[in-house]
Amino acid sequence: GENVEQHPSTLSVQEGDSAVIKCTYSDSASNYFPWYKQELGKRPQLIIDIRSNVGEKKDQRIAVTLNKTAKHFSLHITETQPEDSAVYFCAASLYNDYKLSFGAGTTVTVRA
Amino acid sequence: DTGVSQDPRHKITKRGQNVTFRCDPISEHNRLYWYRQTLGQGPEFLTYFQNEAQLEKSRLLSDRFSAERPKGSFSTLEIQRTEQGDSAMYLCASSPGTGGYEQYFGPGTRLTVT
C-alpha cells in the first residue's frame, strides 16, 4: 500500500516568515495529494490539494508543489501568522481508490 | 451546520463492552469513510462506502469491528468486546464521489477504553 513520509515533525517560525513542509510517497500511481490543518481538539480541515496533472497550486498565502518524478510534494506557507499554528498533515490517494494515506503530521508553531 | 457530524463526541467504556458510533455525512455525498487517529499520528483508513456498499476494509479492521450504511445516508461503526488498544479518535469523512475527491471530516468520536 501507499506509504507517506512527512518532514519535519515540528517546525517553529517567526511570525511573517515562511514555513515549508515536505512529504514523499511510495506509489507512483498516486494522483491526488491533499493537505489538512488540524487545530487542537478539532477536525482535520482541507486547506489545499493538488492533482498529478498539475505541478503547482496556490491559494493566497499557501501553495503546494508536486514533483512526480521524485515522488514528493511540499506545502509552503508565506507570511505566517499566529493562527497558522496547528498540526498539518499531507496525504496521498490512488486514482479510483479514494482512501487517503496520511503522513504523521507536522506541528507548526508561529512565534509572535 | 451542513458539515459532517458525528455522535457521540466522547465515549468512555469498560474493556469488553460494545460501542457504536454514528456519522452523518454532508448531504448528497455518496462516499463515506471511517478513519482512526491515535495521538501524534495521522488518520489511518479503516473502511469506506459508496452509497450503501462497503467497498474496502483495512486490515486494521478486525472481526470485532463492523460498519454499515444501510440507506446510503448515515453510517454506524460498531466495536465489539472493546480492548484498551481501541482507544483512539474515530473520524468520519465524506466526499461527493464521482468527480469529487475532496474529503471533509467530521469532529470525531473520542473513545477511551478503561
Side-chain angles (χ1 to χ4, degrees):
Chain A
E2 175 66 277
N3 182 46
V4 178
E5 295 191 352
Q6 183 171 348
H7 300 280
S9 58
T10 61
L11 181 59
S12 180
V13 297
Q14 189 70 35
E15 182 177 0
D17 287 351
S18 295
V20 180
I21 304 170
K22 299 182 178 181
C23 290
T24 60
Y25 60 99
S26 60
D27 194 327
S28 57
S30 290
N31 78 335
Y32 175 62
F33 308 92
W35 287 87
Y36 286 84
K37 174 184 180 182
Q38 188 174 30
E39 296 176 72
L40 192 62
K42 296 193 175 181
R43 71 187 74 193
Q45 179 187 4
L46 179 66
I47 57 172
I48 196 168
D49 58 12
I50 191 168
R51 288 169 174 70
S52 60
N53 58 346
V54 175
E56 184 174 358
K57 184 177 179 181
K58 189 173 182 180
D59 183 4
Q60 299 183 350
R61 295 187 297 107
I62 59 173
V64 58
T65 58
L66 171 65
N67 183 326
K68 288 180 60 180
T69 302
K71 293 189 286 186
H72 67 70
F73 55 113
S74 301
L75 179 72
H76 304 252
I77 307 173
T78 59
E79 301 173 12
T80 53
Q81 300 169 4
E83 52 265 38
D84 294 328
S85 296
V87 181
Y88 292 80
F89 293 98
C90 62
S93 176
L94 295 173
Y95 185 74
N96 285 338
D97 182 1
Y98 296 134
K99 64 182 179 183
L100 295 175
S101 298
F102 284 84
T106 297
T107 301
V108 174
T109 303
V110 180
R111 307 186 307 273
Chain B
D1 186 357
T2 56
V4 179
S5 61
Q6 293 186 245
D7 183 70
R9 298 290 305 276
H10 304 272
K11 179 70 176 179
I12 301 174
T13 191
K14 293 184 177 180
R15 188 174 51 191
Q17 298 296 305
N18 299 343
V19 294
T20 299
F21 311 140
R22 176 179 170 127
C23 170
D24 286 90
I26 294 172
S27 180
E28 298 181 357
H29 276 193
N30 56 32
R31 290 213 174 204
L32 186 149
Y33 309 79
W34 285 98
Y35 293 87
R36 181 170 68 187
Q37 186 176 28
T38 53
L39 200 61
Q41 298 297 317
E44 295 176 296
F45 169 78
L46 293 178
T47 189
Y48 83 103
F49 294 83
Q50 169 82 25
N51 298 313
E52 67 275 11
Q54 188 173 17
L55 296 187
E56 185 174 343
K57 293 169 59 174
S58 164
R59 287 176 305 219
L60 293 174
L61 220 62
S62 74
D63 56 6
R64 296 184 299 106
F65 289 71
S66 62
E68 294 182 341
R69 195 182 182 197
K71 297 183 179 180
S73 57
F74 73 91
S75 176
T76 58
L77 178 68
E78 181 184 15
I79 309 174
Q80 296 183 328
R81 305 181 302 281
T82 52
E83 302 173 355
Q84 287 189 321
D86 297 332
S87 295
M89 176 73 83
Y90 289 83
L91 292 163
C92 176
S94 71
S95 71
T98 303
Y101 289 12
E102 300 84 0
Q103 293 185 26
Y104 299 94
F105 281 83
T109 295
R110 179 164 297 283
L111 173 66
T112 302
V113 181
T114 61

